[in-house]
Amino acid sequence: MRSDSDKAKLYDRQLRLWQESGQTALENARVCVLGSTALAAETLKNLVLPGIGEFVVVDDGVVGEQDTLTNFFVQVGDQGKLRAECIVQGLSELNPDVKGSAVTRSPAELLASTDPADIQLVASATLVLACGQPESVVCALSRRCWQANVPLVAADVAGFYARVRTSIPEHADTPSDLRLLTPFPALRNYIDEIDFGVLDSTDLAHVPYPVIIVKALKALSLDGSAAAPTIQQKRALRDLIGTMAPSPDEENFAQAVDAVTQHCKPYSTPDAVDQILNDPAAAAPLAADTKVDRFWLLASALRAYMLSGYSQGMLPLNGSIPDMKADTKGYVALQRIYKQRAAEDAAQFATHVARELTEAGLPADFISSDEVAVFCRNACNLRLLRFTPLHDEIEGDSLCSTAKSLVAAEVASPYALFRASARFEATHGRYPGVTASPSDAEMLDDEVVANDAAELIGIANSLLAEWGLASDAKVDEDLAMEFARSGRCELHNISSMAGGIVSQEAIKLITHQYVPENSLCVVDGVKAKSYVAKI
């Protein structure tokens, strides 16, 4: 195992993206993957390299000739061996800090099992991936993941096309906030101590623009106002700032004029944050009969913070200030004031977190200090996403209300063909263009491929009619022929691209940073494009 200093060097670049808290979340993650095809291997490669803690691959497929042509993690000499074990061995060599294992059973058998160990394999996972699985397996898996509040990403590849879909009940990921209209005491005192009357033109040209704006607001008696300045008042503010400049082309005064619209407005909590604070889960994070969610404990603490007299109804400052024209001394002084206030806000927030943990009967370290700090620092950027269950999309009628988005995103035809392929498989026990499984099937002759394509078109058009799209979209016959001709083959380049998308979404879900796609993603390898549709 590598030391912490060695890990810091190895993961230096990604630590800059998701910080230590995100890396810790990755290293503590356990990913369960159903399927062992090229898509599964390429996705796992992108998770093993940045250092996920553990992964398990569930599949009973054996390596066939097709696998040796499309999956870089199996060798020609592996034909006839269990594919899950082969890719686990290859992937484990990429990063010795990651633990990999294989469960050589069919995903359908695992999901049908009532053995507690089999149930826990999915329920205890941080994230579940379904790669190239039949719809019956995806639906059963979706129900289990949805009930356990475990994120699920399902993806499959057919020739030059791929489809990716994320499903989880909800996901929360954790703008410059200068507060110039209502400056806090330390900021006001700092600005009041700066006397423009004694500064020469050189010094005035290096005054940070927040100082200029607050001085102008005070001169017009607009500082501390709870109401937004009118258009006339903003115009007067800009005119006054212009007269304060030692010369017409001073950059810092021009920045102040440009910043009036953005920063001279009353404080308001972002709508996305209000949605979280007003959610019943924030008021009672332990009310639901589910596993304890650290996010809702933090949200409850933030709600208490916002209701306290200290906050005055304002979220904690993140302490950052934008780049601006200023000398080093002035910029550092201003930055220090905002960082000090942010530290005070964070300390207040931490007391509310500690109170939440105590009331919940949880240990003080249940939520790490780093996680508390990250949540507090990003409080103004919090967002909550609620997804549609995959089993509702496949078996229910939820798609009918959002199907128009498929047409708008230009994915109606490929999406319908993916769904039609699944219905074809449910009827015939094979996918269009193959005799058995994609790993070892021989391609059928042209006549059978053409017959399969014709049946595929009929199924796809009936699906479009079910979704109310009969008059808006029509299945592309050439595309249907490609689906049948490909025989559900996973081309390596398409699998690699789709695996990159899946792993990127996986990291967002594991680290609770950045915003995952709450939608369907379709990769078109022919046109070298990807399309996104909200469904």
Side-chain angles (χ1 to χ4, degrees):
M1 294 291 289
R2 295 184 177 91
S3 66
D4 289 342
S5 60
D6 288 338
K7 285 184 179 181
K9 293 176 183 177
L10 178 65
Y11 300 134
D12 175 64
R13 292 197 174 186
Q14 64 199 50
L15 283 168
R16 302 181 195 188
L17 290 175
W18 48 70
Q19 314 301 318
E20 286 188 17
S21 58
Q23 187 63 33
T24 299
L26 276 179
E27 292 176 5
N28 291 333
R30 179 179 165 276
V31 178
C32 178
V33 185
L34 275 63
S36 61
T37 59
L39 175 60
E42 289 298 318
T43 299
L44 279 171
K45 174 197 71 178
N46 296 328
L47 296 175
V48 168
L49 288 172
I52 58 167
E54 180 182 354
F55 70 92
V56 57
V57 179
V58 181
D59 199 14
D60 64 345
V62 297
V63 177
E65 182 180 1
Q66 186 67 51
D67 292 308
T68 64
L69 300 174
T70 60
N71 192 333
F72 280 5
F73 289 90
V74 298
Q75 308 298 321
V76 173
D78 292 332
Q79 290 190 58
K81 297 180 181 178
L82 291 165
R83 190 171 56 209
E85 292 181 347
C86 292
I87 72 165
V88 166
Q89 180 180 351
L91 289 164
S92 298
E93 293 175 1
L94 299 177
N95 191 336
D97 294 329
V98 177
K99 180 182 178 182
S101 60
V103 175
T104 53
R105 297 165 60 192
S106 76
E109 177 192 340
L110 178 82
L111 293 173
S113 171
T114 56
D115 187 322
D118 292 337
I119 294 173
Q120 279 299 109
L121 190 65
V122 171
S124 64
T126 310
L127 173 74
V128 176
L129 305 176
C131 296
Q133 296 302 304
E135 279 193 349
S136 57
V137 170
V138 173
C139 284
L141 182 62
S142 175
R143 285 193 179 86
R144 185 169 296 185
C145 289
W146 194 269
Q147 184 177 11
N149 197 28
V150 175
L152 167 65
V153 182
D156 45 1
V157 174
F160 287 100
Y161 292 84
R163 172 181 58 164
V164 179
R165 179 77 162 82
T166 301
S167 176
I168 181 177
E170 62 185 30
H171 172 83
D173 70 277
T174 53
S176 295
D177 181 12
L178 298 180
R179 302 185 186 176
L180 302 185
L181 203 59
T182 53
F184 48 91
L187 178 60
R188 183 182 294 279
N189 292 339
Y190 168 73
I191 293 173
D192 286 345
E193 290 174 359
I194 300 174
D195 185 356
F196 280 13
V198 301
L199 298 180
D200 59 27
S201 59
T202 301
D203 291 332
L204 278 173
H206 291 88
V207 173
Y209 76 75
V211 175
I212 299 170
I213 291 177
V214 173
K215 289 283 189 183
L217 285 168
K218 186 174 183 180
L220 295 176
S221 301
L222 295 176
D223 60 326
S225 173
T230 64
I231 294 176
Q232 292 78 11
Q233 288 171 330
K234 288 182 179 179
R235 185 179 297 119
L237 185 62
R238 294 189 184 96
D239 291 343
L240 177 58
I241 291 172
T243 64
M244 295 165 64
S247 64
D249 58 350
E250 292 299 347
E251 185 178 352
N252 57 332
F253 282 86
Q255 288 178 342
V257 170
D258 292 340
V260 165
T261 299
Q262 179 182 358
H263 293 297
C264 294
K265 55 186 178 183
Y267 182 85
S268 63
T269 305
D271 291 342
V273 181
D274 264 337
Q275 176 195 354
I276 293 170
L277 297 179
N278 294 325
D279 195 287
L286 300 178
D289 186 22
T290 58
K291 60 184 179 183
V292 178
D293 192 318
R294 296 198 304 275
F295 172 81
W296 286 115
L297 287 171
L298 289 166
S300 182
L302 183 61
R303 188 172 186 270
Y305 171 92
M306 291 292 285
L307 294 173
S308 69
Y310 170 84
S311 74
Q312 297 182 326
M314 299 182 185
L315 292 167
L317 266 177
N318 61 24
S320 64
I321 61 175
D323 190 21
M324 63 187 74
K325 174 69 180 297
D327 59 16
T328 302
K329 179 181 178 182
Y331 185 85
V332 170
L334 187 65
Q335 188 178 54
R336 185 181 297 117
I337 289 168
Y338 276 95
K339 285 189 173 182
Q340 178 59 38
R341 175 66 183 199
E344 294 169 4
D345 289 357
Q348 287 287 329
F349 175 67
T351 63
H352 291 286
V353 174
R355 188 176 297 117
E356 289 288 335
L357 293 176
T358 299
E359 291 176 357
L362 296 167
D365 61 353
F366 182 77
I367 303 176
S368 70
S369 57
D370 284 345
E371 189 171 356
V372 172
V374 169
F375 187 94
C376 182
R377 187 167 61 247
N378 293 286
C380 65
N381 295 317
L382 293 173
R383 269 184 272 186
L384 177 66
L385 302 178
R386 287 194 163 101
F387 293 70
T388 301
L390 265 169
H391 52 274
D392 278 2
E393 176 190 329
I394 294 171
E395 296 180 339
D397 58 3
S398 63
L399 188 60
C400 295
S401 60
T402 58
K404 295 288 186 182
S405 65
L406 297 173
V407 179
E410 302 178 43
V411 297
S413 188
Y415 177 72
L417 286 167
F418 270 112
R419 294 288 302 276
S421 295
R423 285 199 179 182
F424 185 103
E425 187 275 337
T427 301
H428 298 284
R430 63 175 179 85
Y431 285 100
V434 296
T435 53
S437 69
S439 63
D440 60 0
E442 295 181 1
M443 296 301 297
L444 302 179
D445 59 39
D446 292 344
E447 182 180 355
V448 176
V449 169
N451 290 337
D452 284 358
E455 184 174 347
L456 199 58
I457 291 170
I459 298 172
N461 279 326
S462 68
L463 285 170
L464 291 174
E466 286 180 23
W467 305 330
L469 298 179
S471 60
D472 299 296
K474 185 179 180 181
V475 173
D476 185 324
E477 294 185 5
D478 290 338
L479 182 56
M481 183 62 76
E482 168 60 24
F483 265 71
R485 185 203 62 78
S486 70
R488 194 72 171 184
C489 171
E490 293 189 357
L491 300 179
H492 179 263
N493 57 340
I494 304 301
S495 297
S496 180
M497 181 183 296
I501 294 172
V502 174
S503 56
Q504 178 174 278
E505 295 305 298
I507 287 174
K508 294 175 186 176
L509 292 164
I510 292 171
T511 63
H512 282 263
Q513 296 183 35
Y514 305 99
V515 183
E517 281 293 343
N518 186 5
S519 55
L520 163 76
C521 177
V522 172
V523 175
D524 182 341
V526 175
K527 297 180 181 177
K529 289 184 178 181
S530 61
Y531 303 89
V532 173
K534 180 73 172 70
I535 59 174

